[in-house]
Amino acid sequence: MRFYSVRFGFLLVCICFVSLTWIKSIPKDGVSTVQLDLQTLYERLSVAEQLGGEVRKDLSSMLEELKNISKAVNNTHHTTNNTTTTNNNISKIPSETRKRADNTSDGQSILLPNIYLYMPHLRQHPKSLVPNIELGQGRRGVSVVMGIPTVKREKQSYLVSTLSSLLYSLNSSQKSDILIIVFVAETDSEYVSSIAEIITNNFPTEVKSGLLEVVSPSQYYYPDFSVLKETFGDSKDRVKWRTKQNLDFSFLMLYAQGKGTYYVQLEDDIVAKADYLRNMKTYANQEASKEWLYLEFSQLGFIGKMFRTRDLPMISEFFLMFHRDKPIDWLLDHILWVKVCNPEKDVKDCNERKASLKQRYKPSLFQHVGLHSSLAGKLQHLKDKDFGGQTLFQAHKNPPAALSSSLKHYQQHSLERVYKGGDFFWALTPVKHDYILFNFSQPINISRYLFVSGNSEHGEDKFFNTTVEVQPSNASARVEAVNGSTSFFQQSEEGFTVIGRFDNGVADGKIEEALQPISALRLVVHSDAAVWALLSEIQFKVR
């Protein structure tokens, strides 16, 4: 910059010297011409001076930019390869942390931790952290998000039973305030699609409403498991299994973190107690003022652990940091140790402090039922002793009736026992034209009927495509009711009239006065079923 200024000044001096010499050599009679030339020269020098100032400013600006670029390169030379991010980065860095990093006093950048440090293979594929959303309506803002990881099992799959149990006792208000995320922890796209199809076929209403979501990881998410070190005496297969479980839980937690207030970790082979959701929300509200890390609604492993969603980024980052080293339940306990234990105190003190960060609800709301583990060849006989008994049927006092059915019941679960309130009725797979008949000892006036199929342990064993039909004692009343101008009744065979049907496993309705009194009532199956059928509740309200 200084060199350009000196050269420009020397040029101006030369021009002035030549101009003066030329002026003195001109005769006096050419004064007017000289004045005109001087005026022209002055104007040109003024323009040249103005242009020189602009060039000087441009050069100064360029020099400053070069200095800044050089400084930035020197400061970030060792960190640029580790700070790659994508719009879909599953690792969220708090905004206040980024702000502090950008405003360091010496102007230097610092390396912020992210998922790429713990799983460097993800850098090779920009979309490795983008979840594949198979089913979902983008539901957010719910009170409780439940995460269920599931994998391909060699033996029996419990997923449909688990979802049925979770959905069985929920009312419409509760269904609008939860989100159940099924994380298919497989990269086989055909298998993932098959799970989505099974869930859609079994729970179409819940899928359409957005209550159920099905997601899976990118094919590039998992690392090379063949290079894992064998530790704690575990076999290579077990080390791979526990490492993958750490990654699965972390992915699911990070996916769920922005969708609700609380997050509950479950497994794909459990049953839930009736009214479990109300009990969980009530207990969470009672303990809201305490500094807990998680609430326990089961004493088995990771089942029924409830976290505040705001804590999920920290928890998942800890899991990712040590995902190769230890099982998931050990890592969760280590988080408690890091947060509250004093190395200078004894084990008793540490355990007491850790207990303050986890609150236990009794009785347990979830029970493990799977026999075959997701680890090939492993059998699990785990049972939660605090789960207690499960309400599998609801008893009612019903009017005397002769009962008959074409369905064959399983073991002691007969139709007579459920009608009298002593058990549930459990029948082998229904086929078209199967029926259940209630012949009342004398015609009676029934104001309302209720049939509930399935229960908390066998929520998928419901009646589908099944009608409720009544036989009025007065045949002429039946004809008038069916043929009436405003009638919604449909005539059936053998003097029966269709008055209702099962919807999502439940048939509940009134019997119009025009059809009273009733001699008989029956259920008729209109198509072959794919599962067994179970009646957990029968009620006839007599006027």
Side-chain angles (χ1 to χ4, degrees):
M1 179 68 194
R2 191 172 300 170
F3 173 76
Y4 286 111
S5 300
V6 171
R7 189 169 66 176
F8 183 73
F10 178 75
L11 178 61
L12 289 177
V13 172
C14 291
I15 292 173
C16 292
F17 177 76
V18 172
S19 300
L20 290 173
T21 304
W22 175 64
I23 291 170
K24 288 182 178 182
S25 65
I26 296 176
K28 292 184 179 181
D29 57 358
V31 172
S32 59
T33 304
V34 170
Q35 287 178 347
L36 182 60
D37 291 339
L38 283 175
Q39 180 66 27
T40 302
L41 178 62
Y42 175 77
E43 292 176 356
R44 290 178 178 177
L45 286 175
S46 297
V47 173
E49 184 178 8
Q50 184 179 355
L51 292 174
E54 293 179 0
V55 170
R56 199 160 47 242
K57 291 179 181 179
D58 291 341
L59 289 172
S60 298
S61 177
M62 291 172 62
L63 183 61
E64 189 65 27
E65 289 183 13
L66 286 172
K67 288 181 179 180
N68 292 337
I69 292 173
S70 178
K71 184 176 181 179
V73 170
N74 291 333
N75 288 338
T76 61
H77 176 70
H78 298 293
T79 61
T80 51
N81 290 334
N82 293 324
T83 56
T84 304
T85 57
T86 65
N87 291 332
N88 298 299
N89 192 342
I90 203 169
S91 178
K92 304 294 184 182
I93 301 172
S95 58
E96 56 270 24
T97 303
R98 292 196 300 268
K99 186 175 181 181
R100 288 196 299 269
D102 293 338
N103 296 327
T104 51
S105 58
D106 60 358
Q108 293 185 350
S109 298
I110 61 174
L111 178 62
L112 296 176
N114 57 48
I115 194 171
Y116 296 107
L117 293 179
Y118 316 126
M119 302 176 68
H121 70 281
L122 296 177
R123 294 195 190 97
Q124 301 173 15
H125 303 282
K127 295 186 178 181
S128 57
L129 292 174
V130 180
N132 299 316
I133 302 176
E134 299 291 326
L135 298 174
Q137 302 295 330
R139 179 178 287 198
R140 305 175 73 88
V142 298
S143 294
V144 178
V145 180
M146 292 183 280
I148 304 176
T150 186
V151 296
K152 188 185 299 184
R153 295 175 181 265
E154 291 185 352
K155 300 290 184 179
Q156 182 178 0
S157 173
Y158 307 91
L159 179 59
V160 172
S161 298
T162 295
L163 293 175
S164 297
S165 178
L166 292 172
L167 297 169
Y168 172 72
S169 63
L170 300 181
N171 57 41
S172 58
S173 176
Q174 290 173 325
K175 287 184 176 181
S176 66
D177 196 34
I178 66 167
L179 171 64
I180 300 175
I181 303 171
V182 177
F183 176 64
V184 186
E186 301 286 349
T187 56
D188 181 349
S189 59
E190 291 186 4
Y191 177 76
V192 174
S193 297
S194 70
I195 295 298
E197 183 178 359
I198 290 172
I199 291 176
T200 300
N201 291 339
N202 282 274
F203 311 101
T205 303
E206 289 77 10
V207 170
K208 185 176 181 180
S209 68
L211 189 160
L212 279 173
E213 286 190 9
V214 177
V215 300
S216 65
S218 159
Q219 60 178 319
Y220 307 112
Y221 176 63
Y222 297 109
D224 182 3
F225 292 116
S226 65
V227 298
L228 295 172
K229 291 177 58 179
E230 298 177 25
T231 56
F232 304 109
D234 288 343
S235 66
K236 184 173 288 292
D237 286 341
R238 186 174 181 85
V239 172
K240 174 185 175 181
W241 173 78
R242 78 186 195 206
T243 300
K244 183 177 179 296
Q245 187 179 57
N246 290 339
L247 298 177
D248 293 341
F249 281 35
S250 299
F251 191 104
L252 187 49
M253 285 181 171
L254 289 170
Y255 177 78
Q257 63 177 305
K259 297 182 179 293
T261 304
Y262 298 107
Y263 173 79
V264 180
Q265 185 70 52
L266 297 173
E267 294 185 6
D268 65 350
D269 53 356
I270 56 102
V271 294
K273 275 198 169 180
D275 217 15
Y276 73 93
L277 184 61
R278 183 184 64 83
N279 290 327
M280 284 198 303
K281 291 172 66 174
T282 300
Y283 188 65
N285 291 333
Q286 291 175 355
E287 302 296 316
S289 61
K290 298 180 181 179
E291 293 298 323
W292 48 266
L293 182 66
Y294 61 87
L295 304 178
E296 296 182 285
F297 295 97
S298 172
Q299 66 173 347
L300 296 179
F302 227 98
I303 298 173
K305 299 290 187 290
M306 173 185 279
F307 305 89
R308 295 181 175 97
T309 52
R310 67 171 184 257
D311 293 327
L312 294 181
M314 177 274 294
I315 295 170
S316 57
E317 183 172 357
F318 193 92
F319 292 162
L320 290 170
M321 195 181 306
F322 302 104
H323 69 272
R324 302 179 186 88
D325 302 311
K326 291 187 177 181
I328 192 87
D329 48 344
W330 292 13
L331 293 178
L332 182 61
D333 184 72
H334 289 341
I335 295 178
L336 301 180
W337 192 97
V338 170
K339 290 180 75 69
V340 297
C341 288
N342 186 340
E344 298 179 355
K345 298 294 183 67
D346 57 16
V347 174
K348 180 180 178 182
D349 179 80
C350 180
N351 289 336
E352 290 176 354
R353 291 179 181 274
K354 287 194 296 183
S356 67
L357 294 183
K358 52 181 181 178
Q359 304 296 323
R360 177 83 166 86
Y361 177 88
K362 291 184 179 181
S364 297
L365 299 181
F366 304 99
Q367 177 67 286
H368 180 264
V369 296
L371 176 62
H372 301 282
S373 169
S374 56
L375 175 60
K378 179 184 177 184
L379 296 179
Q380 295 189 126
H381 300 279
L382 300 175
K383 293 295 178 183
D384 190 332
K385 296 179 180 179
D386 292 333
F387 185 71
Q390 179 77 308
T391 302
L392 301 179
F393 63 91
Q394 184 67 44
H396 294 286
K397 185 177 180 180
N398 291 309
L403 312 180
S404 60
S405 177
S406 60
L407 294 167
K408 183 178 181 180
H409 68 266
Y410 176 68
Q411 293 183 352
Q412 78 277 10
H413 304 292
S414 65
L415 184 60
E416 289 76 11
R417 287 173 63 85
V418 68
Y419 192 73
K420 294 178 180 179
D423 196 1
F424 56 88
F425 171 61
W426 202 10
L428 304 186
T429 308
V431 297
K432 187 176 182 179
H433 302 311
D434 271 337
Y435 68 89
I436 296 175
L437 177 63
F438 306 88
N439 262 315
F440 302 108
S441 55
Q442 59 182 9
I444 58 174
N445 290 324
I446 299 177
S447 61
R448 194 172 194 91
Y449 63 88
L450 173 65
F451 296 94
V452 179
S453 61
N455 61 23
S456 56
E457 284 192 359
H458 306 284
E460 73 278 14
D461 291 350
K462 298 178 180 180
F463 277 93
F464 300 95
N465 197 16
T466 301
T467 55
V468 181
E469 305 177 3
V470 295
Q471 186 182 61
S473 61
N474 187 339
S476 60
R478 168 182 170 273
V479 173
E480 291 178 4
V482 172
N483 296 332
S485 59
T486 59
S487 175
F488 296 99
F489 303 120
Q490 178 183 349
Q491 185 173 347
S492 184
E493 299 175 349
E494 301 173 356
F496 281 84
T497 301
V498 178
I499 60 171
R501 63 182 59 251
F502 278 78
D503 181 17
N504 197 24
V506 177
D508 183 14
K510 296 179 180 179
I511 302 179
E512 298 296 332
E513 183 64 32
L515 298 172
Q516 307 285 357
I518 303 300
S519 296
L521 184 148
R522 71 182 182 183
L523 307 180
V524 179
V525 179
H526 295 278
S527 60
D528 294 351
V531 294
W532 288 17
L534 185 153
L535 280 176
S536 56
E537 189 173 357
I538 300 176
Q539 182 182 25
F540 296 135
K541 288 186 177 181
V542 180
R543 289 186 297 185

